[in-house]
Amino acid sequence: MDIDLLKTFVEVVRTRHFGKAAENLYITQSAVSFRIRQLEQGLGVNLFIRQRNNIQLTAPGERLLPHAQMIITGMQRAKVDVALADNMHKQISLAGTPNIWDAFLQFGITNIVSAMPGVSLVAEVKAQQESTRLLLERTLDLAVLFDPPKVDELIVERICELPIIPVSAYETANSENFFDNQYVYVDWGTSFSLWHAREFNGHAPPYFRTSTGRIALDLILKCGGSAFIPQLLVEEQLKAGELYHVEDVAHTSRDVFVAYHRDNEQTPLLEKLVTLLTELKIKA
């Protein structure tokens, strides 16, 4: 099966629009339509329900999607593996959610690269569910997560605790006005949401919500406001006096976990990588 047909299919699913998919793939819209027809003819099924401005997957299309994603990811990794073969390099693929990268991984990636010479590191941003699926499919080596997957095939280890503190752009912020001055709610996962609802029930709704800590940080630095942000992410701003730790507002923390497949053939390298990630907490 032509890999380009699958890439086109996945892009149409992602954009829900043949024209936008064509722009992203740098081909014409007619080429996108032709590729989808080829794929449908090869499989003997219709993959999309085509309505004006409303492209939906059929049941066969839903079944094809995870297989297409797995094939594309596997092919990309195979190309890298083959390219590295001449230099006898090992390759490790590492993934984290956007918030994991913002709050934790970005601060140690250079140390990891320098401490593992001869290893080619592929670092990606992946959602929690996608990371778990890729680990089980053996197309991802290690995932760093806030919410550990409960799957028997995976080894899951807690590597650190990440303090999440209340910060504000206003020096006069306190427990009385913290949520009234452009409060930005950041989704730090299920346990944080439950803690937040329990601790701060009755306050006015936030004026802005985001799933990414970096977006919240940039927003309150430029426009003012307050938010719960990991301490590691705001240390520079606190030292510079750009933000203030509102100490009389309750704070919390999130555990950080790593997960990898029990039968991964590169387990010794993964254990070294886990050690480096654990030491990152000490340096923080």
Side-chain angles (χ1 to χ4, degrees):
M1 186 178 293
D2 190 339
I3 194 72
D4 287 336
L5 301 185
L6 293 177
K7 288 181 179 178
T8 304
F9 166 70
V10 170
E11 191 61 28
V12 171
V13 173
R14 191 181 72 82
T15 60
R16 301 289 176 169
H17 195 281
F18 278 52
K20 291 178 182 177
E23 291 177 8
N24 294 341
L25 294 170
Y26 299 100
I27 59 178
T28 63
Q29 184 169 337
S30 59
V32 169
S33 298
F34 179 71
R35 288 181 181 182
I36 295 300
R37 283 199 303 273
Q38 278 188 298
L39 187 59
E40 290 178 326
Q41 290 170 3
L43 295 172
V45 296
N46 290 325
L47 298 172
F48 294 102
I49 300 171
R50 296 167 175 81
Q51 298 176 349
R52 184 176 179 84
N53 298 323
N54 184 23
I55 296 176
Q56 300 293 328
L57 280 171
T58 61
E62 294 280 4
R63 296 291 294 273
L64 175 63
L65 182 59
H67 296 290
Q69 291 170 328
M70 179 179 66
I71 292 169
I72 293 168
T73 302
M75 182 62 71
Q76 291 170 340
R77 184 167 184 183
K79 287 180 178 179
V80 176
D81 282 339
V82 171
L84 292 171
D86 288 342
N87 297 323
M88 299 300 291
H89 280 193
K90 295 288 187 179
Q91 178 187 321
I92 292 178
S93 55
L94 165 71
T97 62
N99 269 337
I100 287 288
W101 278 106
D102 284 346
F104 180 69
L105 279 176
Q106 65 162 318
F107 298 99
I109 198 68
T110 54
N111 293 336
I112 291 170
V113 171
S114 62
M116 301 183 74
V119 175
S120 174
L121 187 66
V122 179
E124 300 178 293
V125 177
K126 300 288 185 184
Q128 167 95 18
Q129 291 182 339
E130 184 180 8
S131 291
T132 302
R133 176 176 61 79
L134 293 175
L135 287 172
L136 293 172
E137 292 171 355
R138 314 286 189 91
T139 54
L140 176 67
D141 291 313
L142 187 79
V144 186
L145 308 160
F146 279 136
D147 297 307
K150 295 178 174 59
V151 182
D152 290 340
E153 293 90 337
L154 302 181
I155 293 174
V156 178
E157 298 180 24
R158 176 187 178 276
I159 58 171
C160 74
E161 182 181 5
L162 200 63
I164 298 178
I165 63 173
V167 298
S168 176
Y170 309 115
E171 189 173 6
T172 57
N174 55 44
S175 59
E176 298 296 324
N177 59 28
F178 182 78
F179 295 95
D180 300 326
N181 291 321
Q182 299 184 164
Y183 173 63
V184 178
Y185 178 86
V186 187
D187 183 3
W188 293 109
T190 303
S191 65
F192 174 83
S193 298
L194 293 173
W195 172 83
H196 191 278
R198 184 175 64 251
E199 290 287 331
F200 306 111
N201 184 35
H203 284 279
Y207 98 110
F208 190 88
R209 290 177 177 265
T210 177
S211 61
T212 307
R214 177 61 61 179
I215 292 176
L217 177 58
D218 290 344
L219 182 64
I220 64 176
L221 285 172
K222 293 176 182 177
C223 303
S226 57
F228 285 93
I229 306 286
Q231 186 172 341
L232 193 59
L233 184 57
V234 293
E235 280 187 340
E236 291 185 6
Q237 291 78 13
L238 292 173
K239 290 177 182 177
E242 298 174 314
L243 291 176
Y244 302 92
H245 181 188
V246 188
E247 297 186 4
D248 64 341
V249 173
H251 65 276
T252 186
S253 62
R254 285 303 319 261
D255 289 333
V256 179
F257 299 87
V258 294
Y260 56 94
H261 202 285
R262 291 185 180 278
D263 299 326
N264 193 303
E265 60 186 16
Q266 301 193 100
T267 297
L269 282 176
L270 296 180
E271 290 175 344
K272 181 177 181 179
L273 179 53
V274 171
T275 299
L276 291 169
L277 290 170
T278 304
E279 290 173 350
L280 172 59
K281 177 247 321 194
I282 299 171
K283 294 175 183 176

